[in-house]
Amino acid sequence: MTRFLTKLIVALAVLAGAMLASIAFGSHPTSFGDVLDVLSSTADPNVATVIESRYPRTALGVLAGVCLAVAGTLMQGVTRNPLADPGLLGVTAGASAAIVTSIAFLGMSGDAVWWALPGGLLAGLLVHVIGSSGGGSGVARLVLAGAVVSAVLTAYVQAVTLSLPKVFDSYRYWVVGALGGRGFDVLTSVLPVAVAGLLLAAVLGSGLNTLALGEESAAALGANPGLTRALGMLAAVLLSTAATAAVGPIAFVGLAVPHIARWPAGSDSRAQLLFSALVGPALLLLADVVGRLVLAPTELMVGVVTAFVGAPALLLAVRRMKAAA
Amino acid sequence: MIRVPIARRAVAVAAGLVVLLLAAGVATLTLGRLGLSLADLTSWPPTGKSKFVLERLRGPRLVVAAGVGAALGLSGALFQNVTRNPLGSPDVIGLSTGAGAGAAIAALLFPGVVPTPAGALAGAVAAMALVYFSTGTGFRHPGRLIVAGIGVYAIGTAIIQYVVYAVERDKASVLTAYVNGSLNTRSWEQAATIWVVLLAVVPFVMLLSRRLTMSELGDELAAGLGAEPQRTRVAAVVLAIVLSAGAVAVAGPISFIALTAPQIARRLTRLPGPHLTLSALTGALLLVLADLAAQQAPIPVSLPVGIYTLALGGLYLGYLLIREWKKGTL
């Protein structure tokens, strides 16, 4: 138990460090000392403005990181497939399609959140309905259904964006996935969905443990694997929709963090969920800091950074896969 | 004993596909404002308007569409056989995205110097090299191939999205159209390119075909039959990559043909085996039909054909899956 506590404290410290770094470093150079000055309200007002502009960005990073990582852990636990990723559920494509529709046909601009949310949820629901049609279940079906729904929605998004230059202009900035340029209002609008997803995930922890024993054993222990799986998918859809609506599609956090979290957490699903929720935001914020520094004074969006950090990690991990796989 | 009616069915399906392909070809040449009449089409040599339409406008485009579709269908059939995964395709192992990223980099860093198709080809080759070396075992293990493909896919997508974000709007829009795969304004050189690739690769595929059928029985059994499953697999992947690289160089990364064509072919024949010929024919038919839709769709903007293949292929795959799941056969 004490070892668990130690690991927990280390993970919390890493997260705190990442948050501090996210507030302290940016394309406009400031220091930790400046941050302390601002916190004790003795700073130069210009520096204070710069640093305060990083608060919502950091908060969004924490929220999106938690959501994506927990969603990924749920997906991988429910499907028992180490490659499951929230993007496979059609959520990203659904959110994109809804945003494009709102800009193109309803004359909306700006606050895309309220469109991305229902779009992502509807697409996730559709994938689930198609995947479970005919009374069957199973992971392969869900992934195939996700691929189908994503393909059709992506085609729609491409058709609309290529036909209407104005829509294309807003869309191409959103689709990269970035933490910057968004305010606390975005955070408050997705927060209810994120909290609902997180509560569901917290309740499901022990159910996932039973599921990990295999379908038959789980049923024999009196668990309801079908229900656990359905609720787990629902939570994953809620969480990844919240994240996508808040910061745009971000690759790899949902795929990679569960693997990292398994290292301190071991095989207990509840511990995996907890550590994912700590590692996810730390990783996302550090990626964002890297993106701000590497091309300063311009910035690289966090979605690009996570892909460039996560993909090589995945490529290295491939070599360790069993030869038979 | 049982094989006779089965083979007859495959031949009948192939003949049906050829007839449909010819019909789609005639429709491509005759429909629409610039379409030729059937009389124009049969009078030889063509003159005036029909010469222009046949030689410049729609002729090369049709030949490119058929060639690219056949190459993609064949490539998908090989990939799906080797990976034993209905989702195996050049899209999945990152080849198409690599090509798109190569085109994007060429457009961003060397505008006007490196032609876009050359960039695409370089990107496809680079992506495959990355996959090859990161698996540590080359193309031998299908599982590793797919995982490495996902990684390369993610890098490629990030590059494309970043370039589309970074360049000015008109360039970004042209690039997006290319990255979707387009058949607008194709030339006879491009038609020649893809058909030369096809004709060069097909003999090797034919040599491999029996072994591929055997390898569906599982590695041990296939090895017992002398099929050398490992070497067969590597050869098949290499051929599939050559085919899809050729297709990408000519038409950009057109999605979903490689994925859906073998699936459709399999369901048309209800036979085991890699369905190589039928997949190629189905691919050609799908792309010609999609391009027909792209040319004749009653919308003001001409969209790249890749968007139609994505939408139609996705809808069709969805329909197939739901129907099968209802019957409980999958």
Side-chain angles (χ1 to χ4, degrees), chain A residues 83 130-135 140-145 147-148 150-152 154-156 158-163 165-166 168-169 172-173 175-176 249 251-252 255 295 298-301 303-304 307-308 311-312 314-316 318-325, chain B residues 86-87 130-131 133-136 141-152 154-155 158-159 161-169 172-174 176-177 180 256 299 301 303-304 307-308 310-311 314-315 317-319 321-322 324-326 328-330:
Chain A
L83 289 177
I130 295 178
S132 57
S133 64
R141 285 188 180 195
L142 216 54
V143 172
L144 272 170
V148 165
S150 297
V152 175
T154 307
Y156 165 77
Q158 299 279 14
V160 173
T161 49
L162 281 178
S163 312
K166 253 186 75 182
F168 181 64
D169 233 13
R172 67 183 169 131
Y173 291 122
V175 78
V176 186
F252 266 104
L255 185 71
L295 283 186
T298 60
E299 296 190 357
L300 205 53
M301 286 70 59
V304 176
F308 267 92
L314 188 68
L315 291 180
L316 286 177
V318 171
R319 283 168 180 271
R320 288 190 292 149
M321 281 174 65
K322 274 189 238 117
Chain B
L87 288 178
L130 201 52
V131 168
F133 289 115
S134 56
T135 56
H141 297 300
R144 292 188 181 190
L145 198 61
I146 290 183
V147 179
I150 293 176
V152 172
I155 298 180
I159 293 178
Q161 285 176 352
Y162 179 72
V163 171
V164 165
Y165 166 92
V167 300
E168 64 263 43
R169 185 167 81 191
S173 149
V174 170
T176 306
N180 275 299
F256 249 74
I299 48 171
V301 226
L303 293 172
I307 290 178
Y308 290 88
L310 193 58
L315 286 175
L317 191 62
Y319 161 77
L321 292 175
I322 291 178
E324 288 202 351
W325 292 338
K326 286 238 164 87
T329 48
L330 198 80

Side-chain angles (χ1 to χ4, degrees), chain A residues 94-103 108-120 170-171 173-175 182 185-186 189-190 241-242 244-248:
Chain A
S96 307
I99 284 184
V100 162
T101 308
S102 75
I103 308 173
M108 298 293 161
S109 62
D111 198 4
V113 179
W114 286 117
W115 292 94
L117 271 181
S170 330
Y171 174 71
Y173 291 122
W174 177 80
V175 78
R182 294 173 162 94
D185 52 332
V186 172
S189 24
V190 300
T241 306
T244 308
V247 298

Side-chain angles (χ1 to χ4, degrees), chain A residues 285-305:
Chain A
L285 287 176
L286 290 176
D288 190 42
V289 172
V290 170
R292 289 182 229 167
L293 297 180
V294 74
L295 283 186
T298 60
E299 296 190 357
L300 205 53
M301 286 70 59
V302 70
V304 176
V305 180

Side-chain angles (χ1 to χ4, degrees), chain A residues 223-253:
Chain A
N224 185 344
L227 184 68
T228 308
R229 206 182 296 115
L231 288 179
M233 283 296 176
L234 175 66
V237 167
L238 288 174
L239 289 168
S240 48
T241 306
T244 308
V247 298
I250 289 179
F252 266 104
V253 177

Side-chain angles (χ1 to χ4, degrees), chain B:
Chain B
M1 274 305 171
I2 303 171
R3 285 203 71 82
V4 178
I6 291 177
R8 199 176 290 155
R9 182 178 172 94
V11 172
V13 170
L17 285 172
V18 171
V19 170
L20 283 176
L21 188 57
L22 287 176
V26 171
T28 303
L29 296 174
T30 52
L31 286 178
R33 199 162 52 85
L34 282 165
L36 304 172
S37 69
L38 282 174
D40 286 339
L41 212 56
T42 46
S43 71
W44 196 262
T47 49
K49 175 191 154 195
S50 58
K51 189 175 161 71
F52 177 70
V53 171
L54 269 184
E55 284 185 3
R56 304 286 295 279
L57 214 54
R58 292 188 187 172
R61 182 169 182 163
L62 175 63
V63 177
V64 169
V68 167
L72 289 174
L74 194 52
S75 155
L78 290 170
F79 266 118
Q80 293 181 11
N81 178 277
V82 168
T83 57
R84 301 212 197 125
N85 186 329
L87 288 178
S89 83
D91 312 317
V92 175
I93 69 159
L95 187 136
S96 313
T97 335
I105 290 174
L108 178 73
L109 296 182
F110 315 102
V113 182
V114 178
T116 317
L121 199 56
V125 171
M128 285 307 95
L130 201 52
V131 168
Y132 184 90
F133 289 115
S134 56
T135 56
T137 50
F139 297 130
R140 233 168 284 149
H141 297 300
R144 292 188 181 190
L145 198 61
I146 290 183
V147 179
I150 293 176
V152 172
Y153 172 87
I155 298 180
T157 309
I159 293 178
I160 295 173
Q161 285 176 352
Y162 179 72
V163 171
V164 165
Y165 166 92
V167 300
E168 64 263 43
R169 185 167 81 191
D170 291 347
K171 259 178 146 180
S173 149
V174 170
L175 190 61
T176 306
Y178 181 82
V179 165
N180 275 299
S182 164
L183 287 169
N184 288 343
T185 61
R186 295 297 107 163
S187 68
W188 286 112
E189 288 84 51
Q190 286 163 318
T193 308
I194 186 63
W195 281 97
V196 165
V197 170
L198 258 182
L199 292 178
V201 169
V202 162
F204 292 105
V205 175
M206 282 160 69
L207 283 177
L208 218 56
S209 132
R210 264 178 60 82
R211 291 180 164 198
L212 286 173
T213 312
M214 283 191 249
S215 71
E216 287 201 345
L217 302 170
D219 276 9
E220 279 104 45
L221 210 50
L225 291 167
E228 296 177 278
Q230 288 286 356
R231 286 179 59 189
T232 307
R233 215 174 281 149
V234 173
V237 171
V238 170
L239 291 177
I241 288 174
V242 171
L243 283 170
S244 38
V248 159
V250 167
I254 293 178
S255 54
F256 249 74
I257 301 274
L259 191 73
T260 41
Q263 297 291 329
I264 297 174
R266 178 175 292 266
R267 281 161 182 84
L268 288 173
T269 59
R270 303 189 212 121
L271 282 177
H275 307 288
L276 298 171
T277 316
L278 292 180
S279 298
L281 284 174
T282 311
L285 179 63
L286 285 180
L287 192 53
V288 170
L289 284 177
D291 195 41
L292 183 64
Q295 291 180 55
Q296 303 296 341
I299 48 171
V301 226
S302 139
L303 293 172
V305 70
I307 290 178
Y308 290 88
T309 61
L310 193 58
L312 299 175
L315 286 175
Y316 184 69
L317 191 62
Y319 161 77
L320 275 184
L321 292 175
I322 291 178
R323 212 187 55 174
E324 288 202 351
W325 292 338
K326 286 238 164 87
K327 284 194 293 185
T329 48
L330 198 80

